[in-house]
Amino acid sequence: MTPLLPSGRLYGRGGRTRRGMALVITVILLALITIMVLGFAHMVRHETAASSAHLDRACAQGYSQMGVNMVTGVLRKHTTDGARVWASQPGALILPLEDASGSSLIRLGRRLPLHSGLPGMTALALAPDNPLAPANLNVQTFNDQSPVTHVITDQRTDPEDSTSPVATLPLRWIYLRQDGTLDESESPVLTNSANPIVGRFAWWADDESSKINLNTAWKRNGSNGETGVKSPLGTSHPASINLLSLATCGMTVDMVDRMHTAIAPDPYDYSTVKRFFNSTRELRDLDDGAGNFTTVLNRAKFEVTHYNHEPDTTFFNEPRIVLTTDKAKAAGRPFIDIKKDGATEIWDPIAHTDAAKLADTIDLLNSYLKRTDWPVAPDSSFQAKYYANKPERLTQLSLNIINYVRSKESVGEDVTKAVVPLRGDQAAGGRFQLKEVASSDIAFIGVTRAPKITEMGLWVAASGSRDNTYQAKYKLEIHLPANFGLDQIDLTKMSLFLTASGAELSGAPGETDITTAEIEGGNAILTAGGYASITRTSTVRMTGARPTTVNLRAAIARIRRLDVAPLGGAAACTLDGPGVAEKDIHSIEVDDPRVNTHRNDWKKRDYGNSFGRKNDGTEGGVAIRTLGKASTTTPRQDTDASGVITDASLYMPPPAGSTGNSSGQVDSMGELGYIHTGMESGGGAGVPWRTLRLQPNEDSAAMVPDWAFMDLFTVPVEVPERARGMLAPHGTSTAGRININSQVQPYGDAAQVTSPLERFLPLVALLTGVAATTSTGDCDTISIAKARTIARNIYNRTLAAKGKKYGYAETYDSPGEIVEIAGVADGGEESEAVVRGIASLVTTRGGVFMVYSIGQALKQTPNGNLVITAESRQQTMLERYSAASAVGVTRFRRLEHQPLAP
């Protein structure tokens, strides 16, 4: 029998078992707790590491963002003050000098980098795995390996050698210490344990306007042999930027058309826009399985973008004046505001023009012509250049601009299709007064699409009647210049006014329509380039001895005066003796048909006359006609490639909507090259064959060049509502233009790098297919090969033989400065055709910047080494703009952002 313990429990083997089990359970529990503690500690250790890694990653992203903030800060500081001018290029802003004030604020004088700096030679020599080696933006991207490509460009260090390595884009690091201070040293102190380095960042900002906008560019018909879909869009439409220039990258006509029709299913009409591309990568969706678009876009990625625009302001930071009289086409900007309310035509100045608006517009243009603070030629003005001794004549130049716009936009008078010139005089206060009849010494008349009076004479019979009345025959030559907008004109549809006066001589026939009988040969139709001789029989009265000189004035009219010669006082002409036959009388004539408005423009011929043919006489032994002779005036007259005077700019546009003027509007600022600067009307003799010179300037570098005037203007471009967000973002900017400041800083500058990076295909796209004039006068188009040559000249700022650098010598201050470059417009007046093809498609600044930035979180070890703990790369599109609702207020926004792998 088993004994009982005092407690009553059994004592023996079973009790010991229970105590053992309790011990085992206790040990197990302790083991579990230990494991849990160890697991928790392990978890904490890993979580701490993960948290640290996450924090490092967040820090790296923040450091990378600092690069974007740096660019934004620079743009805010330097591009938002309306008193300061600026320009841009990839990697840099062009600004006034730091101590600039007053008018110097609109003169460019320095380059400010939009990057963290080009590394020095010592840093560039470091091995890539050295912690202090420079940042490289252009790394291979691992998310795009078919084929292998790089983040920014696949361009080789030697573009002509496909086996050379892909270009790197090295940058200086900006180091950040623990207390928040920045250290810009390339060899920072790594032994400062009290304030160690915790991170670094680098950045570079590209200018998207120096690229081809794939959403707006298309082609020019003349560059592709008229194959594919023909573009109906005008010279100044960004669709004229020619994507066929990417042929060296594999682009074909078919691919170009597929890109455009993907945007606008009806390729002729932007109002049918389906959608625009949100990135250049989207074009790969157009591939037909052969990967052609992928190949092209990889090769051209450094040259193309999907979005850009420029502010479309002058280098006075003011809105450009739109060369149109149509308020709707001006889209809220300043324009040639002269139309009467409700007027649909503009050919009749009295019926269609508001006199007060016209005076205001002339005052606006004159205010620019008087300015003496042109950034490219300080202390000079157009008034001093053309009217130094006759400042009251300045209105003539403004009037010529306005009349050209009127002629471009007008169908013309119903019968003749001519445009009646604006005519008037100047009030005591200097304001222009529109008048139908104005013949004072401060009178003005414009040049329009109309015939011109070029020769006059008078024959008087040997004997008269008892009351001293003599038979007289008034001789008049009417010329219809070639390329003056009219193929022909019916002279019998016009009336003729004639008057003669002189010592003891008076009398004039009444103003009546021209008759066929009065026209030599009887042909009433005067064709372009032709001369018509008209004889009107009348009488004059002589009360004394027969004078040897008579003063003549004439006018031709259709509804109103089409031409008046001279405009002021009559011109003196030899009155031959009674024995001279009618056919042999002396006449007076003019050289340039446009320069016939002052009595001193009319020259007395040494012999006979040239009625009905080109004026070819002499006065005092000097040829009246100066074409083909050297220019001796300052400013220079129009000359051809050989340097002799030419009539190449004797031009007026055909009626609106007709062949040669289908748009019915000014298509390019380059058309300002047709504006005559030699007319002086009542102010004195004019200078024949001289128009605004859009060529290398042969005058003094201190004199404002004519091409600077182009920067004041822009032209109307149709922007359908569905395409407005792309073609005219914010209503205050224009998309698709090419920034001619396209040399990439610092990587494209041969003075800073041994293997310059190139970006000149956008300039090739600007030029390819542009109409040009050959040395023989034939029309041609610029081939891709020739465009590449000229583009390199533009890219490298290679001056023409007579070219000059203006303003800041390292960049282009004004779009017009492109004419100083070799191959652009250095072939004489005829070469201005190239300027007309590109003038409205170039800029010197952009409003969209692509910022590439890299940030790294670092740990500084006790032994003075750096350990990279995290890295972040970003690509951020930054937009600078002014909203139409808040003009003058500059805003910035991050338009798109994406992290970059690796």
Side-chain angles (χ1 to χ4, degrees):
M1 182 174 186
T2 302
L4 297 171
L5 295 174
S7 61
R9 289 179 296 178
L10 294 175
Y11 176 79
R13 185 175 179 181
R16 289 194 297 272
T17 301
R18 286 191 293 273
R19 288 197 299 276
M21 292 177 63
L23 180 61
V24 171
I25 292 171
T26 300
V27 171
I28 292 172
L29 290 174
L30 289 174
L32 290 173
I33 292 172
T34 301
I35 292 171
M36 291 177 64
V37 170
L38 291 174
F40 182 73
H42 185 73
M43 180 185 71
V44 168
R45 184 168 65 252
H46 279 278
E47 286 294 321
T48 300
S51 297
S52 178
H54 182 75
L55 177 61
D56 287 344
R57 177 66 175 169
C59 288
Q61 291 175 339
Y63 300 150
S64 181
Q65 180 61 37
M66 288 181 71
V68 180
N69 296 342
M70 287 284 190
V71 175
T72 306
V74 170
L75 293 174
R76 285 187 186 278
K77 180 178 180 179
H78 295 289
T79 71
T80 57
D81 183 356
R84 294 176 180 268
V85 74
W86 59 278
S88 63
Q89 66 183 130
L93 282 181
I94 317 302
L95 303 169
L97 297 174
E98 290 189 77
D99 60 352
S101 61
S103 62
S104 294
L105 291 172
I106 58 174
R107 301 177 195 168
L108 301 180
R110 64 185 172 112
R111 178 184 281 129
L112 181 68
L114 285 179
H115 56 82
S116 56
L118 186 67
M121 296 303 296
T122 301
L124 289 172
L126 295 174
D129 59 351
N130 189 309
L132 296 180
N136 176 22
L137 290 181
N138 196 39
V139 295
Q140 185 181 141
T141 175
F142 294 146
N143 65 352
D144 193 1
Q145 292 283 299
S146 298
V148 172
T149 188
H150 294 72
V151 171
I152 298 176
T153 179
D154 287 341
Q155 192 173 131
R156 304 284 174 172
T157 52
D158 181 356
E160 306 300 325
D161 182 3
S162 60
T163 64
S164 62
V166 171
T168 59
L169 304 186
L171 287 171
R172 293 173 62 112
W173 288 110
I174 305 298
Y175 290 89
L176 182 68
R177 293 194 175 272
Q178 192 174 57
D179 66 353
T181 58
L182 300 179
D183 188 337
E184 298 185 27
S185 172
E186 290 191 274
S187 301
V189 175
L190 301 178
T191 56
N192 185 351
S193 59
N195 190 20
I197 289 175
V198 297
R200 62 185 178 183
F201 59 98
W203 75 93
W204 177 73
D206 204 350
D207 184 342
E208 296 299 282
S209 285
S210 66
K211 301 177 181 178
I212 303 170
N213 187 336
L214 295 178
N215 276 314
T216 60
W218 188 12
K219 66 183 179 183
R220 292 185 179 94
N221 291 321
S223 62
N224 62 3
E226 303 299 333
T227 60
V229 179
K230 292 184 180 181
S231 170
L233 302 167
T235 303
S236 296
H237 199 285
S240 292
I241 299 297
N242 200 332
L243 288 172
L244 291 171
S245 63
L246 299 178
T248 54
C249 299
M251 187 69 77
T252 65
V253 173
D254 176 66
M255 293 169 68
V256 169
D257 288 342
R258 285 169 61 192
M259 288 169 59
H260 183 68
T261 53
I263 295 171
D266 179 353
Y268 301 99
D269 187 358
Y270 263 96
S271 65
T272 65
V273 165
K274 181 179 180 182
R275 65 182 296 273
F276 290 106
F277 300 111
N278 289 312
S279 76
T280 56
R281 287 182 58 86
E282 286 188 13
L283 271 76
R284 299 185 180 199
D285 295 338
L286 300 178
D287 267 329
D288 55 5
N292 293 327
F293 276 99
T294 299
T295 299
V296 169
L297 293 173
N298 280 352
R299 291 176 179 174
K301 66 166 56 179
F302 194 54
E303 323 280 348
V304 299
T305 184
H306 66 285
Y307 185 70
N308 62 16
H309 59 73
E310 63 109 7
D312 207 10
T313 52
T314 71
F315 44 31
F316 298 118
N317 278 339
E318 297 166 352
R320 290 191 171 107
I321 301 169
V322 185
L323 289 171
T324 182
T325 65
D326 190 334
K327 184 177 182 179
K329 292 180 179 179
R333 302 187 188 190
F335 67 107
I336 309 300
D337 187 8
I338 63 171
K339 271 186 182 179
K340 284 184 177 179
D341 293 340
T344 58
E345 253 286 1
I346 198 69
W347 69 264
D348 185 340
I350 304 302
H352 304 146
T353 306
D354 184 303
K357 289 182 179 180
L358 174 62
D360 289 341
T361 299
I362 289 176
D363 286 349
L364 172 64
L365 296 179
N366 282 358
S367 69
Y368 280 109
L369 294 169
K370 294 175 183 177
R371 292 190 75 143
T372 58
D373 58 348
W374 293 84
V376 294
D379 304 320
S380 177
S381 72
F382 281 93
Q383 176 171 296
K385 182 175 184 176
Y386 287 114
Y387 306 102
N389 301 318
K390 294 169 279 188
E392 73 280 0
R393 304 308 313 158
L394 196 63
T395 293
Q396 186 64 58
L397 184 51
S398 295
L399 202 62
N400 286 351
I401 295 170
I402 295 170
N403 275 281
Y404 181 86
V405 175
R406 290 177 62 239
S407 297
K408 197 72 188 284
E409 294 186 338
S410 175
V411 173
E413 189 270 329
D414 290 344
V415 175
T416 63
K417 302 303 180 186
V419 175
V420 178
L422 292 167
R423 186 179 175 194
D425 56 26
Q426 207 154 279
R431 294 267 289 177
F432 179 80
Q433 299 180 121
L434 176 66
K435 291 184 177 180
E436 186 167 3
V437 176
S439 57
S440 71
D441 280 342
I442 313 181
F444 305 91
I445 189 169
V447 181
T448 61
R449 180 173 64 247
K452 305 295 291 182
I453 299 170
T454 52
E455 190 171 3
M456 295 186 288
L458 179 68
W459 175 86
V460 177
S463 59
S465 62
R466 292 181 180 179
D467 62 353
N468 298 318
T469 299
Y470 293 76
Q471 183 188 34
K473 292 187 178 181
Y474 291 82
K475 298 284 190 175
L476 191 73
E477 178 183 84
I478 298 178
H479 176 43
L480 182 61
N483 302 317
F484 222 58
L486 297 171
D487 293 330
Q488 62 180 34
I489 195 165
D490 187 342
L491 296 173
T492 61
K493 303 299 183 182
M494 297 188 298
S495 62
L496 179 62
F497 162 82
L498 298 163
T499 183
S501 62
E504 302 181 358
L505 183 147
S506 61
E511 181 173 354
T512 58
D513 288 346
I514 299 171
T515 65
T516 304
E518 293 177 318
I519 304 170
E520 184 177 341
N523 185 2
I525 304 302
L526 176 62
T527 57
Y531 298 79
S533 178
I534 297 173
T535 300
R536 174 157 291 179
T537 301
S538 184
T539 58
V540 294
R541 182 178 177 82
M542 288 190 291
T543 57
R546 184 184 182 101
T548 58
T549 299
V550 62
N551 298 316
L552 301 176
R553 289 187 73 229
I556 50 175
R558 170 69 191 184
I559 310 300
R560 307 189 196 283
R561 295 283 190 260
L562 294 178
D563 194 24
V564 180
L567 184 63
C573 177
T574 297
L575 181 61
D576 295 286
V580 177
E582 177 187 337
K583 65 181 181 62
D584 296 326
I585 65 169
H586 286 75
S587 68
I588 52 175
E589 61 187 20
V590 294
D591 185 0
D592 184 340
R594 296 160 295 187
V595 184
N596 67 351
T597 53
H598 189 270
R599 58 182 176 273
N600 291 342
D601 295 332
W602 290 85
K603 309 298 181 182
K604 296 180 181 179
R605 292 174 56 97
D606 289 337
Y607 57 90
N609 60 78
S610 59
F611 289 112
R613 63 182 189 274
K614 287 182 180 180
N615 297 347
D616 56 2
T618 60
E619 181 186 41
V622 178
I624 293 171
R625 190 173 180 85
T626 59
L627 289 176
K629 302 183 182 305
S631 173
T632 59
T633 66
T634 299
R636 296 289 186 188
Q637 293 161 278
D638 298 341
T639 55
D640 63 16
S642 64
V644 299
I645 298 173
T646 177
D647 62 356
S649 285
L650 183 61
Y651 172 84
M652 271 289 138
S658 65
T659 302
N661 184 18
S662 58
S663 67
Q665 62 185 32
V666 179
D667 293 313
S668 168
M669 281 94 79
E671 292 180 56
L672 290 171
Y674 292 130
I675 303 302
H676 205 287
T677 61
M679 284 182 62
E680 306 233 2
S681 298
V687 178
W689 312 114
R690 192 180 72 188
T691 56
L692 286 173
R693 191 179 185 89
L694 308 184
Q695 303 166 51
N697 185 22
E698 293 189 54
D699 301 315
S700 166
M703 188 180 290
V704 59
D706 287 355
W707 51 255
F709 201 52
M710 286 196 297
D711 195 61
L712 302 180
F713 301 96
T714 188
V715 296
V717 175
E718 183 180 357
V719 181
E721 191 60 38
R722 288 177 64 87
R724 186 169 299 279
M726 177 58 68
L727 299 178
H730 314 292
T732 57
S733 53
T734 299
R737 290 176 177 165
I738 301 296
N739 186 349
I740 55 178
N741 288 320
S742 56
Q743 188 182 80
V744 179
Q745 292 295 317
Y747 309 113
D749 189 346
Q752 300 187 66
V753 296
T754 55
S755 300
L757 196 64
E758 293 184 338
R759 176 185 286 161
F760 72 94
L761 284 183
L763 299 173
V764 180
L766 171 70
L767 292 159
T768 301
V770 168
T773 303
T774 67
S775 58
T776 60
D778 296 328
C779 185
D780 196 3
T781 56
I782 296 178
S783 66
I784 292 179
K786 185 175 181 180
R788 289 176 68 88
T789 299
I790 301 173
R792 283 191 182 275
N793 292 340
I794 298 170
Y795 187 79
N796 295 316
R797 290 179 60 79
T798 303
L799 293 175
K802 297 178 181 178
K804 300 182 182 71
K805 288 187 177 181
Y806 289 84
Y808 182 55
E810 301 304 316
T811 58
Y812 297 98
D813 296 55
S814 161
E817 197 173 349
I818 196 173
V819 308
E820 299 286 338
I821 299 301
V824 176
D826 52 356
E829 198 71 18
E830 293 86 349
S831 65
E832 289 189 7
V834 176
V835 181
R836 290 191 290 274
I838 66 175
S840 298
L841 297 173
V842 295
T843 182
T844 56
R845 65 178 90 176
V848 181
F849 301 86
M850 187 70 80
V851 185
Y852 297 91
S853 57
I854 176 174
Q856 291 181 344
L858 303 174
K859 288 196 180 300
Q860 181 181 304
T861 64
N863 62 351
N865 287 325
L866 289 178
V867 177
I868 301 172
T869 59
E871 178 179 289
S872 173
R873 293 174 181 263
Q874 300 182 31
Q875 176 179 317
T876 304
M877 182 173 277
L878 186 66
E879 184 178 28
R880 175 198 180 278
Y881 69 99
S882 296
S885 58
V887 176
V889 178
T890 304
R891 298 174 179 173
F892 297 86
R893 66 172 178 170
R894 190 172 73 171
L895 196 63
E896 64 178 50
H897 166 80
Q898 67 176 8
L900 295 174

